[in-house]
């Protein structure tokens, strides 16, 4: 930006911003547009908008009466349209003024929603591949209008001259670019043709391409030979479904598990959602292919669907969605929010139809996407009622549905973590308890909502007291005989805040069960930190948070021969070593991360047992 001379602009006078066009083009290329390839999309978009305006002048004309013609031979790129064209005043007003769009003109304000571009900066994208833009146009508004030639250059200068009408016999506009040497990647004939098909395959006006060779891309080769697949007619519903699935496979590269047809007349949206055939990580959002009035806007439009819908990929064409200035994403407004909600409802309706009429499809869908459905069921009562009984969970009866599990367990217990479930699964199953692993994402919350669907079933969190209450006590004589050993065991494990009890339970092959929740360990750690920091600021804070520290519990199984041998040991040192070994084994069987002190204890106990055996042999 430069400052005007103060001699011609006295202090306090209004001044006009000066624009450095080269700097602006650099800004566009590095920050607004994702790639120089968008130059062709902008030219095609301007041509289509010009055709839309022409139809406003001649509403009786058919869509096929006017079209867009592309030409690229390696030395020039040309885009010609039969649109409304420009007068000399239009050229000065719209081509030479950055940010002013003909679509904003008052005479077209009421039609603004019919146009793709509305920002008045699209033509500048041509400077990404060329140093000069040549425009030849003739207005359709005036029958005897002259042709107007505009030449714009990357340094910010331009020229305009009026030519005889014979310079362009028909109304419309031709834009010609002479590519720079470094722009060959985007302006070669094959690339121009590929970009035209990429961006314009769903355009409603005819678009043709010519590479000047007379080969496969000869004059008249259609860029968009067929309408969108959802706009075609088919002999049967089955043929329509197969055609939509084939289109989804062509666009996304996978065979859909199913295709969901999308139709929102209120916003002029049509398209399909393709159900992914394989599991995707929770929360991984796929980009969706969004066209606006036939022109491809984005292949990575995440915002068109809610986050939970990561089991589908969509391709849609919409009339009323607003693109951002770069026209590579959607403007977040009330319309987009309403579209997102409406498409979410279409996905829910598809799940409901599958549940009601196609159990095989539902089973295949749930095998691949049960996590996605669980995330939906957490927030959607209708899906919860419909699908919760059919969702798979890890239980003491194996991986099964809640509906099947509840048939044999009217009281369902749920753990708070995977670790807790692994600690108790085998013993709880032997004791006849029905336990569900609530440690996975959404599972605990969903299991607790089961009574809403199956009122005859009750659900409760599993706690150590519930489990130990189902373990059989030993007789009094056995308890008294083991009292000395149990006292030594409690003393040995006091460092881990662990109590020791003797019970009988199945399976007999399990020597001990370590009952210790993650929350209990956290509370003990906090209590220990509070003791260490006593008197300081952190000690006061941790002390205020401190609760009565819950103790872990090592439950020894009297039915196990190893335990029966251990409790009979009368040598204090060996008794201590044996209980440390039992604790270490139980900790490893729980499959939770071992603390350094526990790893050290396991190593020491086995070394001590080996040393004792060697001393005995000698």
């Amino acid at each position: 930006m430069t400052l005007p001379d103060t001699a011609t602009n006295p202090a306090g006078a209004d001044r006009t911003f000066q624009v450095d066009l080269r700097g602006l083009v650099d800004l566009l290329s590095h920050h607004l547009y994702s790639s120089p390839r968008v130059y062709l999309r902008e030219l095609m978009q301007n041509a289509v908008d010009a055709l839309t305006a022409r139809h406003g002048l001649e509403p009786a004309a058919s869509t096929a009466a006017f079209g867009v013609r592309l030409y690229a031979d390696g030395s020039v790129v040309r885009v010609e349209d039969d649109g409304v064209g420009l007068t000399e005043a239009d050229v000065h007003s719209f081509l030479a003024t950055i940010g002013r769009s003909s679509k904003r003109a008052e005479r077209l304000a009421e039609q603004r929603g019919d146009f793709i571009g509305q920002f008045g900066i699209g033509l500048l994208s041509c400077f990404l591949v060329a140093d000069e833009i040549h425009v030849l146009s003739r207005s359709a508004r005036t029958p005897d209008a002259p042709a107007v030639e505009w030449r714009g250059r990357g340094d910010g200068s331009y020229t305009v001259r009026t030519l005889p009408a014979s310079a362009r016999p028909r109304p419309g506009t031709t834009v010609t670019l002479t590519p720079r040497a470094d722009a060959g990647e985007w302006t070669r004939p094959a690339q121009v043709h590929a970009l035209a098909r990429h961006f314009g395959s769903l355009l409603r006006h005819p678009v043709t391409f010519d590479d000047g060779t007379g080969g496969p891309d000869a004059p008249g080769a259609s860029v968009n030979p067929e309408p969108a697949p959802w706009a075609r007619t088919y002999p049967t519903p089955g043929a329509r479904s197969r055609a939509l699935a084939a289109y989804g496979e062509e666009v996304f590269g996978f065979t859909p598990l199913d295709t969901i047809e999308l139709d929102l007349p209120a916003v002029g949206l049509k398209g399909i959602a393709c159900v992914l055939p394989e599991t995707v990580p929770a929360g991984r959002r796929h980009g969706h292919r969004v066209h606006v009035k036939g022109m491809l806007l984005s292949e990575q439009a995440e915002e068109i669907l809610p986050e939970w819908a990561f089991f589908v990929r969509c391709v849609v064409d919409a009339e009323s969605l607003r693109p951002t200035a770069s026209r590579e994403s959607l403007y977040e407004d009330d319309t987009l929010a309403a579209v997102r909600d409406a498409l979410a409802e279409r996905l829910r309706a598809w799940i409901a139809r599958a549940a009601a009429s196609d159990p095989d499809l539902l089973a295949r869908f749930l095998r691949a996407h049960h996590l996605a459905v669980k995330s939906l069921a957490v927030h959607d009562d209708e899906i919860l009622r419909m699908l919760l009984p059919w969702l798979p969970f890890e239980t003491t009866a194996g991986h099964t549905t809640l509906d099947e599990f509840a048939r044999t367990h009217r009281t369902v217990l749920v753990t708070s973590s995977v670790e807790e479930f692994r600690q108790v699964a085998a013993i709880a199953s032997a004791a006849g308890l029905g336990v569900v692993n609530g440690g996975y994402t959404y599972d605990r919350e969903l299991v607790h909502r089961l009574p809403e669907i199956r009122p005859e079933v009750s659900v409760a969190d599993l706690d150590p007291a519930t489990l130990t209450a189902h373990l059989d006590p030993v007789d009094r004589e056995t308890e008294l005989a083991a009292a000395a050993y149990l006292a030594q065991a409690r003393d040995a494990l006091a460092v881990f805040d662990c109590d020791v009890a003797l019970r009988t339970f199945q399976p007999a092959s399990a020597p001990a069960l370590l009952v210790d929740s993650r929350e209990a360990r956290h509370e003990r750690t906090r209590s220990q930190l509070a003791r260490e920091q006593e008197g300081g600021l952190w000690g006061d804070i941790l002390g205020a948070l401190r609760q009565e520290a819950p103790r872990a519990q090592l439950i020894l199984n009297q039915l196990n021969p190893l335990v029966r041998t251990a409790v009979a040991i009368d040598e204090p040192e060996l008794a201590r070593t044996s209980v440390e070994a039992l604790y270490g084994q139980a900790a490893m069987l729980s499959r939770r991360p071992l603390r350094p002190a526990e790893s050290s204890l396991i190593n020491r106990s086995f070394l001590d047992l080996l040393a004792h055996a060697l001393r005995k042999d000698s």
Side-chain angles (χ1 to χ4, degrees):
M1 183 169 65
T2 59
L3 294 176
D5 191 343
T6 55
T8 57
N9 290 275
D14 288 340
R15 294 182 169 92
T16 302
F17 283 101
Q18 307 297 309
V19 176
D20 180 349
L21 187 58
R22 289 189 185 278
L24 183 57
V25 171
D26 182 71
L27 178 68
L28 293 176
S29 62
H30 289 94
H31 300 285
L32 184 62
Y33 296 123
S34 61
S35 165
R37 68 177 186 166
V38 299
Y39 82 92
L40 189 66
R41 184 196 65 193
E42 297 295 330
L43 290 178
M44 293 173 65
Q45 172 198 286
N46 286 342
V48 171
D49 283 343
L51 293 175
T52 301
R54 179 79 181 268
H55 277 286
L57 292 176
E58 305 175 37
S62 68
T63 302
F66 308 122
V68 180
R69 294 168 293 283
L70 309 177
Y71 177 87
D73 62 3
S75 59
V76 298
V77 175
R78 187 164 60 241
V79 179
E80 181 180 0
D81 67 68
D82 301 315
V84 70
L86 299 170
T87 65
E88 182 178 1
D90 291 335
V91 167
H92 284 289
S93 185
F94 302 129
L95 296 189
T97 305
I98 296 170
R100 180 180 296 173
S101 170
S102 62
K103 276 76 77 174
R104 287 206 184 106
E106 290 184 5
R107 65 179 180 274
L108 295 178
E110 70 278 3
Q111 303 174 21
R112 182 177 174 183
D114 296 334
F115 299 98
I116 305 171
Q118 301 174 7
F119 296 93
I121 59 175
L123 196 62
L124 290 181
S125 65
C126 294
F127 287 123
L128 301 177
V129 298
D131 290 325
E132 183 176 281
I133 306 170
H134 176 256
V135 178
L136 181 64
S137 187
R138 181 180 173 190
S139 176
R141 300 183 188 282
T142 306
D144 58 350
V148 182
E149 179 190 64
W150 179 87
R151 290 182 182 272
R153 289 170 286 277
D155 61 4
S157 63
Y158 71 94
T159 59
V160 179
R161 61 175 181 154
T162 302
L163 302 176
S166 59
R168 184 178 172 87
R170 295 185 301 175
T173 300
T174 301
V175 180
T176 304
L177 308 178
T178 302
R180 291 194 306 271
D182 63 354
E185 178 184 357
W186 307 109
T187 56
R188 289 192 298 269
Q191 180 70 297
V192 172
H193 189 203
L195 290 175
R197 288 189 59 81
H198 180 72
F199 290 119
S201 62
L202 298 187
L203 288 172
R204 294 82 185 267
H205 299 281
V207 182
T208 59
F209 176 79
D210 178 10
D211 66 356
T213 66
D217 300 324
S222 180
V223 167
N224 54 341
E226 295 182 293
W230 46 82
R232 305 172 202 165
T233 56
Y234 300 91
T236 64
R240 182 178 184 86
S241 296
R242 288 189 295 273
L244 294 179
Y247 180 73
E249 184 172 3
E250 176 187 346
V251 170
F252 296 123
F254 63 83
T255 302
L257 186 66
D258 197 16
T259 54
I260 308 165
E261 194 157 359
L262 307 174
D263 187 4
L264 304 179
V267 292
L269 182 146
K270 289 180 178 293
I272 57 172
C274 298
V275 181
L276 290 157
E278 297 178 350
T279 304
V280 294
R284 175 183 172 185
R285 300 185 67 183
H286 287 287
H288 305 288
R289 191 179 177 95
V290 175
H291 299 251
V292 174
K293 302 176 180 68
M295 183 69 72
L296 178 63
L297 178 78
S298 174
E299 296 175 276
Q300 299 297 325
E302 295 181 353
E303 61 273 20
I304 196 74
L305 287 180
E307 290 187 9
W308 54 259
F310 52 80
F311 56 88
V312 296
R313 294 192 70 182
C314 291
V315 52
V316 299
D317 185 21
E319 295 287 334
S320 301
L321 295 178
R322 291 176 58 193
T324 58
S326 68
R327 286 181 288 279
E328 295 184 337
S329 59
L330 294 170
Y331 184 79
E332 188 70 45
D333 58 9
D334 291 343
T335 301
L336 178 57
V339 166
R340 187 163 48 235
D341 290 343
L343 292 180
E345 185 57 37
R346 297 298 186 276
L347 298 184
R348 293 189 187 95
W350 174 82
I351 294 174
R353 286 195 302 274
S357 60
D358 197 338
D360 179 62
L361 174 62
L362 179 67
R364 287 185 287 123
F365 170 66
L366 290 180
R367 277 197 299 270
H369 300 295
H370 61 273
L371 187 58
V373 176
K374 286 178 179 179
S375 70
L376 175 57
V378 167
H379 307 290
D380 191 305
D381 290 345
E382 181 180 347
I383 295 297
L384 179 80
R385 289 191 297 272
M386 184 171 23
L387 292 181
L388 180 59
W390 308 105
L391 290 173
F393 289 82
E394 185 179 9
T395 74
T396 47
H399 283 82
T400 184
T401 66
L402 284 185
D403 189 64
E404 184 176 348
F405 192 64
R407 292 176 192 169
T408 53
H409 298 90
R410 292 306 186 191
T411 298
V412 175
L413 302 173
V414 58
T415 65
S416 60
S417 67
V418 174
E419 171 191 311
E420 185 180 2
F421 177 80
R422 289 171 176 171
Q423 287 178 12
V424 305
I427 294 168
S429 178
L433 297 176
V435 182
V436 178
N437 187 348
Y440 296 115
T441 306
Y442 311 120
D443 284 13
R444 184 165 176 262
E445 183 176 356
L446 288 173
V447 174
H448 273 287
R449 298 191 66 180
L450 181 61
E452 298 176 27
I453 317 303
R454 299 284 186 269
E456 70 278 9
V457 178
S458 62
V459 176
D461 285 326
L462 177 69
D463 58 46
T466 303
L467 182 62
T468 55
H470 283 77
L471 304 181
D472 296 327
V474 297
D475 58 71
R476 184 171 180 79
E477 290 183 6
T478 302
E479 182 81 30
L480 290 174
Y485 180 85
L486 295 177
Q488 291 175 322
R490 294 184 184 107
D491 180 66
L493 300 182
V495 66
F496 298 113
D497 289 314
C498 183
D499 196 6
V500 183
L502 186 64
R503 298 287 188 273
T504 62
F505 53 86
Q506 296 292 338
S509 59
L513 168 66
L514 180 60
V515 179
D516 189 18
S517 68
R518 182 182 304 173
E519 293 75 12
R521 293 197 304 276
H522 286 175
E523 179 58 35
R524 292 197 300 274
T525 300
R526 187 165 56 211
S527 299
Q528 182 180 355
L529 288 173
R531 290 193 298 270
E532 293 173 355
Q533 299 287 338
E534 190 171 356
L537 174 62
W538 284 111
D540 293 341
I541 295 173
L542 292 170
L545 297 174
R546 185 169 57 206
Q547 305 171 8
E548 182 179 350
R551 293 172 64 82
Q553 192 171 36
L554 180 68
I555 303 175
L556 303 179
N557 186 3
Q558 176 64 18
L559 298 179
N560 182 269
L562 174 60
V563 172
R564 289 200 300 271
T565 301
V567 296
I569 296 173
D570 55 8
E571 183 181 336
E573 182 181 346
L574 182 58
R576 183 183 185 93
T577 300
S578 67
V579 77
E580 289 176 342
L582 288 168
Y583 176 88
Q585 182 187 34
M588 288 190 294
L589 288 174
S590 71
R591 290 189 281 183
R592 64 168 171 80
L594 296 177
R595 290 174 285 178
E598 291 173 330
S599 298
S600 177
L601 175 139
I602 292 170
N603 292 330
R604 186 178 69 250
S605 63
F606 281 103
L607 286 172
D608 289 348
L609 287 173
L610 285 173
H612 179 82
L614 292 173
R615 285 197 306 271
K616 184 176 181 181
D617 290 341
S618 61

